[in-house]
């Protein structure tokens, strides 16, 4: 069975500082990995995805993530945070063998200090 | 290109009632998935529809059911509503698997409150 853990429930970062959100997954085969962002009361917006190939993937809004198979991790990073990045971030794992259903982590809420 | 749309935006129902939520998939997408997101939690997979058939189901009771129509739009029906059904219900569509894309694109959700 697939599972995703996001160890940090809340993270507070100053505007302009770097951000790293952690994600660990459990899945027997090569997973499909995603990061989504959710603003309050809104749906989920896809930030980036990993299916195969280059383990460092670039996404929208200046985000990137690195797939590390040996650590079963897919951490999200941004070099310089903007106030508009305050939101909840979800890591998700999917797999064709599982009918492409997504299993989500519990989310990390990011607060940005001025 | 129109994204995923859902209706209604908000809904208030009484325990024991039935509810139908609607979703229109993104243009060109033939697969629709439904997720339940309780307050403060990540979304949980309810089921997926492909070619008008259920194509996978999460750990939800049979009172959660769905439909997909020939135009790929979808409905989620919940019977005998319980207080714990209060949540944000998210619909997501995904392109044909032959395109090599596996991502899902989400709608804005329907906020259901059961009193």
């Amino acid at each position: 069975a697939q599972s995703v853990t996001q160890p940090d429930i809340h993270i507070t970062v100053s505007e302009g500082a770097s951000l790293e959100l952690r994600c660990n997954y459990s899945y027997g085969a090569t997973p499909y990995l995603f990061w989504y962002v959710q603003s309050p009361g809104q749906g989920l917006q896809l930030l980036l995805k990993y299916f195969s190939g280059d383990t460092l993937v670039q996404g929208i809004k200046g985000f990137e993530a690195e797939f590390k198979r040996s650590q079963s991790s897919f951490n999200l990073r941004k070099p310089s945070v903007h106030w508009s990045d305050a939101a909840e971030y979800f890591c998700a794992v999917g797999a064709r063998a599982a009918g492409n259903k997504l299993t989500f982590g519990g989310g990390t809420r990011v607060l940005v200090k001025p | 290109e129109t994204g995923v749309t859902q209706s209604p935006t908000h809904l208030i129902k009484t325990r024991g009632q039935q509810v139908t939520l609607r979703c229109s998939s993104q243009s060109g997408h033939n697969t629709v998935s439904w997720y339940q997101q309780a307050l403060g939690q990540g979304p949980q997979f309810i089921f997926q529809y492909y070619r008008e058939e259920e194509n996978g189901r999460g750990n939800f009771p049979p009172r959660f059911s769905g439909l997909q129509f020939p135009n790929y739009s979808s409905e989620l029906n919940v019977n005998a509503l319980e207080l714990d059904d209060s949540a944000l219900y998210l619909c997501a569509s995904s392109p044909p698997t032959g395109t090599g894309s596996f991502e899902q694109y989400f709608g804005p959700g329907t906020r259901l409150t059961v009193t």
Side-chain angles (χ1 to χ4, degrees), chain B residues 79-98:
Chain B
N79 294 322
L81 284 166
E82 300 177 0
L83 296 179
D84 284 349
D85 295 333
S86 295
L88 182 68
Y89 288 84
L90 296 163
C91 170
S93 71
S94 41
T97 53

Side-chain angles (χ1 to χ4, degrees), chain A residues 47-58:
Chain A
L47 285 176
L48 47 76
K49 60 190 184 250
Y50 172 79
F51 296 152
S52 64
D54 192 349
T55 56
L56 183 64
V57 293
Q58 303 296 320

Side-chain angles (χ1 to χ4, degrees), chain A residues 32 34 36 38 40-46 49 51 88 90 95-96 98-107 109, chain B residues 33 35 37 40-45 48 55 57-58 88 90 94 97 100-109 111:
Chain A
Y32 304 145
F34 307 87
Y36 286 88
Q38 185 177 40
Q42 302 297 311
L44 301 173
Q45 182 182 22
L46 179 66
K49 60 190 184 250
F51 296 152
E88 186 131 27
F90 292 95
R96 182 183 291 183
N100 287 336
K101 77 168 192 180
L102 295 180
T103 299
F104 285 84
R109 180 166 297 281
Chain B
S33 303
Y35 294 82
Q37 186 179 21
Q41 297 182 24
Q44 286 201 305
F45 175 74
Q48 182 181 87
N55 181 43
R57 188 178 185 94
L88 182 68
L90 296 163
S94 41
T97 53
S101 291
F102 307 103
E103 62 264 41
Q104 297 184 17
Y105 294 90
F106 284 80
R111 172 73 61 189

